[in-house]
Amino acid sequence: HELHATARGHERIQEERVLPTPVHDRVHLGREEGVLALPQDLVLLRHRVPIYRLRYAVPVRRFAAWLVHLYTASSAVLGVYGVVACFQGQFRLAMYLMMLTMVIDSTDGALARAVDVRKQIPWFDGRRLDDICDYFTYVLLPVCFLIAAQMLPNPAWVALPVLASAYGFSQDKAKTDDFFFLGWPSYWNVAVMYLYLMQSGPYTVLAWVIGLSAAIFVPLKYIYPSRTRMLRPLSLAVLAAWVLTFS
């Protein structure tokens, strides 16, 4: 603004009159209270009690965030037991373990958002951990089931779901912005359990394996039960009913 010289001088005088002289006392951090170098009428006292409250509050939430990550990783441990059960011929136990991994995968995301794990542990990528566990429990464990139960004409056919799902999991747009899966979401555990319980023949299983592997590359939208907003209540209700009846 263009001001008259006298007005500008008056403004400076007003500013000098309003702002008090700073205090240059030395701050003693070892004492219970320290005086910060601020204007005399804006002196702040440093109290230790609120600082201690903050120090105790942060680790609790961070510990909760680590528990959520541990909960996610536990599905991989169950997957290992599932693989062992497959090759020991305990297929019913293997199916129960696959279902447990699905329950963990369906609930860990809500827990992660509730605790705000990304903010509490910003250097740890929970989504990558989830993808690693999902690839193991949704793809590799069912593939081991196919081999151990001799459900295919030749075990070499398991390369199809392994490679196709590796592509599906590695896509940047594997999940859309409105929370749908783009391409068939590699629910091999569900497919294998149904094929086993229906006592499907080797070539019927092979036809399904080929078809579902191809469906991963077709960019159609599939419901993400725990995230698709408009159908979330119905999807979760159907999922819970399916788990109870199927088990």
Side-chain angles (χ1 to χ4, degrees):
H1 299 284
E2 295 182 359
L3 298 174
H4 191 271
T6 307
R8 290 199 300 269
H10 177 71
E11 189 178 23
R12 287 195 297 271
I13 293 172
Q14 290 296 325
E15 289 176 355
E16 293 174 359
R17 188 179 305 168
V18 170
L19 296 177
T21 304
V23 178
H24 299 287
D25 294 341
R26 182 175 298 175
V27 180
H28 298 285
L29 298 178
R31 298 179 180 177
E32 289 295 322
E33 296 178 350
V35 180
L36 302 180
L38 296 172
Q40 293 177 355
D41 54 345
L42 294 176
V43 173
L44 298 178
L45 299 179
R46 183 175 63 86
H47 299 283
R48 293 183 180 273
V49 175
I51 295 177
Y52 282 125
R53 288 178 181 173
L54 181 62
R55 286 177 182 172
Y56 284 115
V58 172
V60 169
R61 293 186 62 84
R62 184 167 296 171
F63 179 71
W66 280 119
L67 287 180
V68 172
H69 287 318
L70 182 64
Y71 178 65
T72 299
S74 67
S75 65
V77 178
L78 294 176
V80 172
Y81 290 133
V83 170
V84 174
C86 287
F87 288 103
Q88 289 181 346
Q90 300 178 1
F91 299 116
R92 182 176 294 274
L93 174 60
M95 288 189 288
Y96 276 118
L97 291 171
M98 282 193 282
M99 293 180 67
L100 282 176
T101 62
M102 292 178 64
V103 171
I104 293 173
D105 182 53
S106 300
T107 54
D108 62 349
L111 294 174
R113 290 186 291 274
V115 179
D116 197 5
V117 295
R118 191 65 175 173
K119 181 179 178 181
Q120 299 301 323
I121 314 174
W123 63 89
F124 191 89
D125 194 341
R127 292 182 179 179
R128 182 175 299 176
L129 173 65
D130 187 65
D131 285 341
I132 293 171
C133 294
D134 286 352
Y135 186 76
F136 179 40
T137 58
Y138 280 78
V139 182
L140 298 183
L141 172 56
V143 161
C144 292
F145 195 106
L146 287 172
I147 296 172
Q150 300 179 352
M151 296 174 64
L152 288 168
N154 191 309
W157 286 106
V158 298
L160 284 179
V162 170
L163 296 177
S165 295
Y167 168 82
F169 272 84
S170 301
Q171 291 187 93
D172 288 335
K173 293 296 183 180
K175 302 180 184 71
T176 62
D177 295 334
D178 53 350
F179 301 112
F180 282 87
F181 288 112
L182 194 61
W184 189 66
S186 296
Y187 284 160
W188 291 108
N189 44 11
V190 177
V192 166
M193 286 189 288
Y194 272 110
L195 291 170
Y196 176 79
L197 292 174
M198 291 188 297
Q199 298 180 348
S200 303
Y203 288 97
T204 301
V205 174
L206 177 60
W208 277 101
V209 167
I210 294 174
L212 293 176
S213 297
I216 294 174
F217 297 91
V218 180
L220 295 177
K221 285 186 175 182
Y222 293 81
I223 294 174
Y224 190 167
S226 61
R227 296 299 302 276
T228 305
R229 292 190 180 93
M230 64 179 181
L231 297 172
R232 185 185 300 169
L234 178 61
S235 299
L236 293 177
V238 171
L239 179 63
W242 176 82
V243 170
L244 291 175
T245 55
F246 192 83
S247 60

